[in-house]
Amino acid sequence: MKRLATMAALLLACALCLAAPGLQAQKRSVQITITNIRTASGTIILSAHDSEESFKKKKPVQTVRIPASVPSVTIELSLEPGECAFCVFHDTNSDGDLNAGFMGIPKEPFGFSNYDGKGPPGNFKKHKVAIPAGTEALTLEIPLVMF
């Protein structure tokens, strides 16, 4: 009987947590402006990664594709608070891939959060951005670069 009462109390506590919207993490609006777009042809593809595994395995939590526009575009995402790394490229020929040449060097403009375009891009830890809880929109800028 005591065990049944304990289980009932645990289930009730779980139900209250799930039903209370104030206790759950609220998604946050994240506005990302992609700059340094040089041509209006093709598509801008942005992916959001919420973990090292997502980043390494190229399995984003969200992907957005929008038409390119000179000199910039703004993309709005709704994300859970936490850490996120953003990858973007300008698919100039609209084939859905980041085309690369010799030794994997990209032939199309690309960018990452927290990346200045100097040297090779890094890992999730280098490119992650903190997405704090709150209602105010978070704004980021990611410039496209070419090697």
Side-chain angles (χ1 to χ4, degrees):
M1 185 70 167
K2 193 174 189 179
R3 186 174 177 176
L4 183 60
T6 303
M7 287 183 67
L10 181 61
L11 287 173
L12 179 61
C14 288
L16 289 173
C17 286
L18 292 173
L23 298 177
Q24 293 180 355
Q26 297 292 322
K27 287 194 174 184
R28 176 123 189 224
S29 175
V30 180
Q31 295 174 349
I32 303 167
T33 301
I34 312 303
T35 62
N36 203 25
I37 299 172
R38 296 187 179 155
T39 177
S41 66
T43 306
I44 301 296
I45 301 175
L46 174 85
S47 61
H49 301 268
D50 65 352
S51 67
E52 181 73 42
E53 184 177 341
S54 166
F55 192 83
K56 278 183 184 176
K57 293 185 176 184
K58 298 178 184 172
K59 294 193 181 235
V61 293
Q62 281 190 45
T63 301
V64 177
R65 291 171 168 79
I66 63 169
S69 177
V70 176
S72 66
V73 296
T74 299
I75 297 170
E76 186 167 348
L77 302 173
S78 182
L79 297 168
E80 297 284 341
E83 296 177 334
C84 205
F86 300 97
C87 308
V88 63
F89 75 96
H90 184 176
D91 185 12
T92 56
N93 60 3
S94 296
D95 67 354
D97 292 319
L98 174 60
N99 301 121
F102 182 66
M103 296 181 62
I105 297 172
K107 289 183 173 182
E108 295 176 303
F110 68 95
F112 293 90
S113 46
N114 294 328
Y115 179 61
D116 61 6
K118 297 175 183 170
N123 56 17
F124 177 80
K125 188 175 180 180
K126 179 179 178 181
H127 299 298
K128 70 182 177 181
V129 174
I131 301 173
T135 57
E136 200 173 304
L138 177 66
T139 59
L140 302 170
E141 184 175 304
I142 302 176
L144 293 178
V145 298
M146 279 288 297
F147 287 138

